[in-house]
Amino acid sequence: MSSVIEVQNLKKSYTVARPTENGGREFEAVRGVGFSVEKGEIFGILGPNGAGKTTTLEIIEGIKQQTSGRVTVLGLNNITNSQDIKKRIGVQLQSSEYLPALSLVELLNLFGSLYGLRKDPHQLLGFVGLQEKASERVKSLSGGQKQRFTIATSLVNDPEIIFLDEPTTGLDPRARRDVWNLIKQINGRGVTVVMTTHYMEEAEFLCNRVAIMDHGRILKIDEPKRLINDLSHTTQVSFLTSVELPAGIWSGLEEHIEKVYNQHPKVVLEVKSLDIIGRLVETLKQHSIGFSGFTVKTASLEDVYLDLTGKAYEE
């Protein structure tokens, strides 16, 4: 694959009315960010609110200009070739407002005219699952339907890259899954997707690679699975017991158990493989030990974030 986006040492500062923590009047929203996006992938920027995700995206899209650093999109400079870039990308913002008197079909025709194109609005609405809403107004749509319509407006120019800024914020679980499936379909057509999110599960499900961002910096970039595997090769097992565990209960299983945390009534084990779970349960039964709340947990992107920052993840 070849890179369609290159970001090098990107910085964005704002002048603020009150002095910042270090006494200055400059607030750095983005602090030396660098990454590339490959053609055809879904690339995610993951981080809590205020991490600098949206600012980074808006600079790449040509909505804002960086304080310093270099950005190229499809081989074009984001400052000197901003208009050429905008013709070849699609953008879904965090929030959008539409002319209230126009129907969905009329709005899509309007968006197409801005590019000098005549795109079949019914085909676009069918693709995002809103064909039956063609004659309705945006205000009549549910939250999930509005997000799908916004994505439809970003597809009117057949973009090579589509940017999605927190596309499922505020949606219920079902609507969120519908948008996830739509993003997969768009990517399946060969469109590169760059998205921001503060949902761990969303990044794990959708993204080929994810950049974990916090306080204006990118902490690490890799495939979600590799980020997780690099953090931990163990699985955590926890349960509550009715009595104290006898000494030596795990005799014969030591090579499979990394650590044991036993603070009655809760027991937590870190084991090397899921294959040992059945033997743990059988051992408890052999010793007639009652247990409940048996939970098996592998590492997640949230654990990666905790490991990188030393603090719990806050959406």
Side-chain angles (χ1 to χ4, degrees), residues 7 9-14 27-35 45-56 59 211-220 305 309 311:
V7 178
N9 198 26
L10 185 66
K11 296 182 180 180
K12 180 63 177 178
S13 299
Y14 295 96
F27 168 69
E28 280 191 292
V30 181
R31 309 179 182 189
V33 163
F35 60 88
I45 303 177
L46 170 68
N49 292 329
K53 307 185 302 296
T54 295
T55 301
T56 299
I59 292 171
I212 296 180
M213 194 171 186
D214 190 42
H215 288 94
R217 302 183 192 276
I218 288 182
L219 308 179
K220 206 162 187 179
Y305 182 87
T309 65
K311 62 183 181 181

Side-chain angles (χ1 to χ4, degrees), residues 126-310:
F127 178 65
V128 299
L130 293 174
Q131 178 65 49
E132 74 283 359
K133 302 288 184 179
S135 61
E136 296 191 23
R137 310 294 187 265
V138 172
K139 65 181 180 181
S140 70
L141 303 180
S142 68
Q145 290 170 338
K146 287 179 182 177
Q147 284 295 69
R148 283 185 277 142
F149 177 70
T150 299
I151 293 174
T153 65
S154 69
L155 297 173
V156 295
N157 60 326
D158 292 322
E160 298 168 60
I161 307 171
I162 185 171
F163 294 88
L164 306 174
D165 195 0
E166 299 192 4
T168 65
T169 297
L171 301 185
D172 62 64
R174 174 60 186 273
R176 183 175 297 161
R177 288 281 178 174
D178 289 341
V179 173
W180 290 0
N181 290 331
L182 177 57
I183 293 170
K184 286 281 193 181
Q185 290 178 50
I186 293 169
N187 183 245
R189 292 184 166 193
V191 179
T192 303
V193 178
V194 182
M195 61 180 290
T196 67
T197 181
H198 56 243
Y199 295 122
M200 296 287 184
E201 183 187 9
E202 184 162 278
E204 286 190 51
F205 180 81
L206 288 173
C207 299
N208 301 112
R209 288 189 303 141
V210 62
I212 296 180
M213 194 171 186
D214 190 42
H215 288 94
R217 302 183 192 276
I218 288 182
L219 308 179
K220 206 162 187 179
I221 302 175
D222 210 333
E223 300 171 16
K225 185 176 181 180
R226 290 184 61 176
L227 286 171
I228 293 168
N229 289 342
D230 288 348
L231 173 65
S232 176
H233 297 286
T234 62
T235 298
Q236 189 181 88
V237 178
S238 62
F239 51 90
L240 302 175
T241 60
S242 56
V243 295
E244 289 272 7
L245 295 183
I249 185 174
W250 307 122
S251 178
L253 299 176
E254 294 91 345
E255 64 177 296
H256 303 287
I257 300 174
E258 285 279 338
K259 294 178 182 178
V260 179
Y261 306 93
N262 187 2
Q263 294 183 331
H264 184 262
K266 187 170 184 177
V267 179
V268 178
L269 307 174
E270 288 187 6
V271 301
K272 298 178 181 179
S273 170
L274 290 172
D275 297 336
I276 197 65
I277 303 299
R279 294 176 65 182
L280 295 177
V281 173
E282 189 60 34
T283 298
L284 292 170
K285 290 180 177 178
Q286 287 175 355
H287 286 79
S288 299
I289 295 173
F291 60 92
S292 61
F294 197 93
T295 303
V296 179
K297 178 180 177 292
T298 57
S300 67
L301 281 179
E302 188 164 357
D303 297 309
V304 174
Y305 182 87
L306 176 62
D307 182 66
L308 291 172
T309 65

